[in-house]
C-alpha cells in the first residue's frame, strides 16, 4: 500500500499543493502553522472518506473557497488507482456540504470509495480517544472498520438513517399520540443493521484483547495487565421492546450501537480516570500498533502509517519501538525539524512545507 502523489485544492490552508510522495519514508518539515497536519488529514480522508479531526466536512474547505478537492495516485496489491474526494459548501447553510467521490475518474459511492487506500494516523490528540467522549471512541471504531469491511460502511449509513426516522416517529407518538403503526418498520431496520455493526465491533475488540497486552508488554519491557472492554449497548428485539415507552418519553432511540463505548483498564484501573499521561500515551501507541496489524490481517496488506509530530511526546523506549517499524510500510512523518534518529535512514525523503 502506497500513496504516490497527493494533490490538494482549497484544502484548509493549502490553496494548491502537489506532492510527490513515492518514497518509503517521507518527512514533512516546516514551522508550526505551515499545514503539515492538514496534509496528513487529507491523506487519511482518502482512506475513510471523512476527516479525522473536522466536526463538519466543510471545515476542510479553505475559508475563501466554495469547495475543496483532495486527490491522489495510490497503489495497492490490486494495482494503481486515482482517488478523488470533493466537498462543496451548500449556500446559505452554516454546516451543510455535499461530497463527491471518484475512483479512476468514475463517480463512486462513499461505500465503494472507502477502504481502497488504507492508513493509520497517530498524533498527540489521540489521547482524546482514551479521555474524551464516547462519540470520539465510536468514531475511532468506525474509522478502522470502514477500511476493512465494505458492508460496515453500508450498514452504518443505513442504521443511522433508520435511527433518525425512528426518532421522528417517537417524537410524533409523544407529541401527537399517533405513529405507533409506523415504528415497527424502522425498528426492524435498526435491528438488522445495528446487529451487523455490533458483530463487527465485537470482532475488532476480540482482536485487541488478544494483542494489546503483549504489545504493551513489549513497549514497556514489563508485564502489564491491560484490558479493553467493549461496552456494547446491545441491540435486540427484546431490548427495543422493553425500552420503547422510555424512548417515547425521551423522543429518541436509547438502544443500539450509536450508544456503544469502550474503556481501557491498566493494572485493573480505568486508564481514563486513573492513568498518568505517560501510561495513557504508552497504551495509545500500543493500540495504534494493533490497529495497523488488524488492518493488515483483514486486508492482507499493511496500511500507510501517518505520524503527526509524535516524537516529542514519546520517551526513548517508545521512540525506538516506532523507529523499528518505520520501514515495514510506507510512513509519512511530520516534524518542525528532522529528528536526529532519522539520519540513519537513507531511504527518507524530506519535503519542506512552507
Amino acid at each position: 500500500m502506497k500513496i504516490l502523489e497527493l494533490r490538494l485544492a482549497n484544502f484548509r490552508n493549502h490553496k494548491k499543493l502537489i506532492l510527490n510522495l513515492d518514497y518509503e519514508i517521507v518527512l514533512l518539515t516546516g514551522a508550526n502553522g505551515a499545514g503539515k497536519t492538514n496534509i496528513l488529514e487529507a491523506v487519511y480522508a482518502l482512506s475513510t472518506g471523512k476527516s479525522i479531526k473536522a466536526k463538519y466536512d466543510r471545515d476542510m474547505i479553505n475559508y475563501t473557497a466554495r469547495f475543496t478537492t483532495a486527490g491522489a495516485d495510490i497503489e495497492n496489491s490490486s494495482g494503481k488507482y486515482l482517488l478523488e474526494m470533493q466537498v462543496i459548501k451548500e449556500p446559505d447553510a452554516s454546516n451543510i456540504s455535499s461530497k463527491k467521490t471518484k475512483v479512476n475518474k468514475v463517480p463512486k459511492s462513499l461505500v465503494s470509495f472507502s477502504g481502497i487506500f488504507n492508513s493509520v494516523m497517530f498524533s498527540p490528540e489521540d489521547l482524546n480517544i482514551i479521555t474524551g467522549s464516547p462519540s470520539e471512541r465510536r468514531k475511532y471504531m468506525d474509522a478502522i472498520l470502514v477500511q476493512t469491511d465494505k458492508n460496515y460502511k453500508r450498514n452504518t449509513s443505513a442504521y443511522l438513517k433508520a435511527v433518525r426516522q425512528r426518532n421522528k416517529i417517537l417524537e410524533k407518538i409523544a407529541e401527537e399520540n399517533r405513529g405507533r403503526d409506523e415504528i415497527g418498520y424502522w425498528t426492524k431496520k435498526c435491528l438488522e443493521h445495528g446487529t451487523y455493526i455490533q458483530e463487527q465491533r465485537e470482532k475488532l475488540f476480540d482482536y485487541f484483547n488478544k494483542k494489546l497486552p503483549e504489545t504493551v508488554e513489549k513497549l514497556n519491557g514489563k508485564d502489564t495487565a491491560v484490558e479493553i472492554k467493549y461496552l456494547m449497548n446491545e441491540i435486540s428485539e427484546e431490548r427495543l421492546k422493553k425500552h420503547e415507552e422510555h424512548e417515547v418519553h425521551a423522543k429518541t432511540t436509547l438502544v443500539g450501537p450509536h450508544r456503544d463505548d469502550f474503556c481501557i483498564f491498566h493494572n485493573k484501573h480505568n486508564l481514563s480516570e486513573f492513568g498518568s499521561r505517560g501510561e495513557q500515551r504508552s497504551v495509545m501507541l500500543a493500540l495504534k500498533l494493533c490497529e495497523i496489524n488488524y488492518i493488515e490481517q483483514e486486508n492482507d496488506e499493511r496500511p500507510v502509517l501517518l505520524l503527526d509530530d509524535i516524537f516529542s511526546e514519546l520517551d526513548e523506549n517508545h521512540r525506538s519501538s516506532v523507529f523499528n517499524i518505520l520501514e515495514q510500510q510506507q510512513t509519512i512523518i511530520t516534524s518542525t525539524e528532522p529528528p536526529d534518529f532519522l539520519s540513519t535512514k537513507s531511504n527518507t525523503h524530506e519535503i519542506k512545507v512552507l
Side-chain angles (χ1 to χ4, degrees):
M1 185 76 62
K2 200 173 188 183
I3 181 166
L4 308 175
E5 183 177 271
L6 178 70
R7 296 174 292 277
L8 302 179
N10 302 321
F11 193 95
R12 294 202 184 264
N13 69 316
H14 298 294
K15 294 286 285 181
K16 185 177 181 180
L17 183 69
I18 300 175
L19 295 178
N20 175 14
L21 300 176
D22 190 9
Y23 302 92
E24 294 304 313
I25 301 174
V26 178
L27 175 63
L28 303 175
T29 59
N32 291 328
K36 304 183 298 295
T37 299
N38 297 340
I39 293 169
L40 296 192
E41 179 187 11
V43 172
Y44 192 82
L46 291 169
S47 299
T48 63
K50 294 187 73 173
S51 165
I52 197 168
K53 64 178 186 176
K55 183 175 182 181
Y56 302 104
D57 285 334
R58 65 182 287 155
D59 293 343
M60 294 183 282
I61 304 172
N62 184 281
Y63 69 93
T64 65
R66 196 177 69 85
F67 70 92
T68 183
T69 304
D73 297 322
I74 70 101
E75 185 175 24
N76 64 23
S77 57
S78 301
K80 292 184 178 180
Y81 295 87
L82 169 60
L83 304 181
E84 184 179 291
M85 182 181 76
Q86 187 174 67
V87 179
I88 306 165
K89 290 179 182 177
E90 293 292 334
D92 306 320
S94 58
N95 297 317
I96 300 175
S97 60
S98 60
K99 187 185 297 178
K100 297 178 181 178
T101 50
K102 294 180 181 178
V103 179
N104 296 332
K105 299 185 178 180
V106 178
K108 294 288 184 180
S109 68
L110 201 53
V111 170
S112 300
F113 181 85
S114 302
I116 293 175
F117 172 69
N118 305 138
S119 64
V120 169
M121 185 165 171
F122 185 31
S123 73
E125 287 71 33
D126 283 332
L127 288 188
N128 291 334
I129 295 170
I130 294 173
T131 62
S133 67
S135 63
E136 290 277 349
R137 289 183 283 278
R138 288 191 293 271
K139 185 178 178 182
Y140 176 64
M141 303 179 219
D142 292 344
I144 299 171
L145 292 169
V146 297
Q147 296 191 65
T148 60
D149 181 357
K150 292 287 186 189
N151 288 323
Y152 186 86
K153 176 65 178 176
R154 188 175 291 111
N155 276 276
T156 301
S157 298
Y159 174 77
L160 293 175
K161 177 184 176 181
V163 168
R164 286 193 296 269
Q165 294 299 322
R166 192 171 184 272
N167 289 347
K168 288 179 182 178
I169 296 168
L170 289 168
E171 187 175 350
K172 188 195 297 186
I173 295 169
E175 294 180 357
E176 303 173 23
N177 197 27
R178 63 186 184 89
R180 289 188 181 271
D181 56 328
E182 303 172 51
I183 201 168
Y185 174 81
W186 293 110
T187 296
K188 184 179 177 182
K189 287 294 180 185
C190 287
L191 184 60
E192 174 189 346
H193 300 297
T195 298
Y196 184 88
I197 292 167
Q198 292 187 329
E199 285 173 352
Q200 299 313 305
R201 288 178 178 177
E202 270 196 302
K203 178 182 172 184
L204 174 64
F205 283 101
D206 284 346
Y207 179 88
F208 279 164
N209 265 317
K210 287 175 186 173
K211 300 296 183 180
L212 187 61
E214 63 188 58
T215 307
V216 172
E217 184 178 343
K218 285 179 184 176
L219 284 175
N220 295 339
K222 60 183 179 181
D223 186 18
T224 307
V226 179
E227 182 184 7
I228 184 165
K229 285 191 175 181
Y230 174 29
L231 306 176
M232 182 198 297
N233 190 314
E234 184 183 358
I235 191 165
S236 66
E237 193 171 350
E238 293 75 21
R239 292 194 78 226
L240 285 165
K241 193 68 180 174
K242 177 182 176 182
H243 291 280
E244 189 172 300
E245 288 308 312
H246 293 104
E247 292 178 326
V248 169
H249 291 301
K251 304 177 189 177
T252 192
T253 302
L254 301 174
V255 173
H258 64 295
R259 290 181 171 252
D260 281 354
D261 196 0
F262 69 85
C263 65
I264 301 174
F265 288 85
H266 182 268
N267 288 330
K268 299 185 179 180
H269 297 291
N270 189 315
L271 187 63
S272 172
E273 296 177 8
F274 301 106
S276 68
R277 296 291 281 185
E279 288 168 339
Q280 291 171 354
R281 211 173 277 125
S282 174
V283 172
M284 197 64 235
L285 174 58
L287 193 60
K288 285 290 174 177
L289 296 176
C290 291
E291 181 184 339
I292 294 170
N293 292 332
Y294 181 79
I295 292 175
E296 181 181 22
Q297 172 187 281
E298 295 300 300
N299 295 349
D300 295 322
E301 194 164 12
R302 282 182 79 81
V304 172
L305 179 58
L306 310 173
L307 301 176
D308 185 23
D309 200 20
I310 66 162
F311 293 104
S312 61
E313 301 283 328
L314 301 176
D315 62 25
E316 187 175 342
N317 284 340
H318 294 152
R319 280 198 298 270
S320 176
S321 297
V322 175
F323 180 79
N324 290 335
I325 68 161
L326 291 181
E327 294 169 304
Q328 294 181 21
Q329 65 287 305
Q330 185 185 32
T331 303
I332 305 175
I333 303 166
T334 68
S335 182
T336 52
E337 298 288 341
D340 292 339
F341 65 84
L342 275 182
S343 61
T344 62
K345 298 288 187 183
S346 59
N347 54 351
T348 300
H349 179 75
E350 182 180 356
I351 299 173
K352 294 185 183 296
V353 181
L354 303 175

